[in-house]
Amino acid sequence: FKLVNQPLPRTRLSKLKRNLVRSMSFTEVEEGEEAARRELTQEEKRLLDKPMAARLLGRLRRITGHEGSIVPEDSLELDLGLDSLGRMELLTILQQEFDTVVPEKEAPGMLNVGQVLERLPDADDAMDHEEFSWSKVVRETPEPPFEKRYSMKRPIFHLLIHPIRLFSRAVFRTFVRFEMVGDETLPADKRFILAPTHQSLLDAQLIYIYISVSQLARMSFFALEEYFRFPGAVALMKLFRIIPSGTEQTMLSSMQYAFRSLELEGSLCLFPEGHRSPDGEIKKGKIGLGVLACESGTPIYPARFDGGMEVLSRTNRGVHRSKMKLVVGPPVLPPKKESYTEADYRAVTRDWLEA
């Protein structure tokens, strides 16, 4: 592995800028040196000896699928692969199962395992609390409920959507030739999850203006909250059924809103990678896709964008004339089971990646 002696670049939401991390200078560490570095200090041993430490490490393994040893210096994100959804799950587990509340302002600063262990109580009186369950969490009603937060009959939507789409298509045609293939296979009256790869800032907009109006009318969209911090954003999200997500504070409610939209036999569009690809390669999907598909019994329709790296991508930030294409593939079906585990969610998300 490699060591770095400077802070890693992060976004305003405390997420790693992975494309910048790759360009940093690292120090190579040989296998023998790793063993020496992993030798536990007295303070680390103290943390691991806490009454509830072993149980917490077990929960971390279940959340992340990490099979190796876990030590206090391990990074939650770099070593264990904990993403924003996993961090939200960890914070909820700490509160529900370990009587440990992490203040909202302090949560982004909790970066390694040791900082989590430090917050555990010294007594074991929280051991009998009910374990965190995605099955229960997604079925809880957020505040306000989906039916109140989003327009259901949507008369204004139906009035505006046709002129908006015609105008948007005319604008986009000046620099993008777009083609959507396979969308005719999407169910007309049954719920589904459209799960495209992500290359350009135009990806969601192109789906919105080129998918059929009948499909669009019953579709909700996952979107990063940071793109909707402007006057009128709340009304816009309500009208077009945009579910804001991307932070530990919004992730829980966004999962509940998404699940409810599927319960109402609607459809959902989300980008499983969670961010634009820095190099055009498809990245590992977030476990939230598997949670929603399994718990709602909804098929996933994988879709692949091609050509998006040429316009408003991480490598080409400007607007360039290009040709983009979205190909919708055959559905990925979640297994039919009475109850699901994190391993099931990860397996379904992995099926999307391999489809």
Side-chain angles (χ1 to χ4, degrees), residues 246-306:
T247 67
E248 293 162 15
Q249 290 72 41
T250 60
M251 192 62 70
L252 185 62
S253 62
S254 67
M255 290 288 289
Q256 293 165 344
Y257 284 127
F259 180 81
R260 182 56 179 162
S261 72
L262 295 171
E263 269 194 325
L264 296 172
E265 291 301 320
S267 54
L268 179 70
C269 178
L270 65 84
F271 295 90
E273 296 162 285
H275 53 76
R276 289 173 293 159
S277 171
D279 54 14
E281 296 296 322
I282 303 175
K283 306 303 178 186
K284 180 181 177 182
K286 308 291 186 182
I287 197 175
L289 173 65
V291 172
L292 292 171
C294 289
E295 294 299 339
S296 65
T298 302
I300 301 168
Y301 282 78
R304 182 186 178 105
F305 268 105
D306 289 313

Side-chain angles (χ1 to χ4, degrees), residues 2-10 16-27:
K2 300 178 181 180
L3 296 178
V4 62
N5 60 358
Q6 62 191 88
L8 296 175
R10 294 179 178 272
L16 283 179
K17 295 183 177 180
R18 296 182 183 273
N19 56 323
L20 295 182
V21 170
R22 293 188 182 93
S23 65
M24 295 176 66
S25 298
F26 296 94
T27 301

Side-chain angles (χ1 to χ4, degrees), residues 97-114:
E97 301 180 28
F98 298 90
D99 285 341
T100 300
V101 178
V102 180
E104 183 176 317
K105 291 183 178 180
E106 297 178 15
M110 196 169 63
L111 303 177
N112 62 40
V113 175

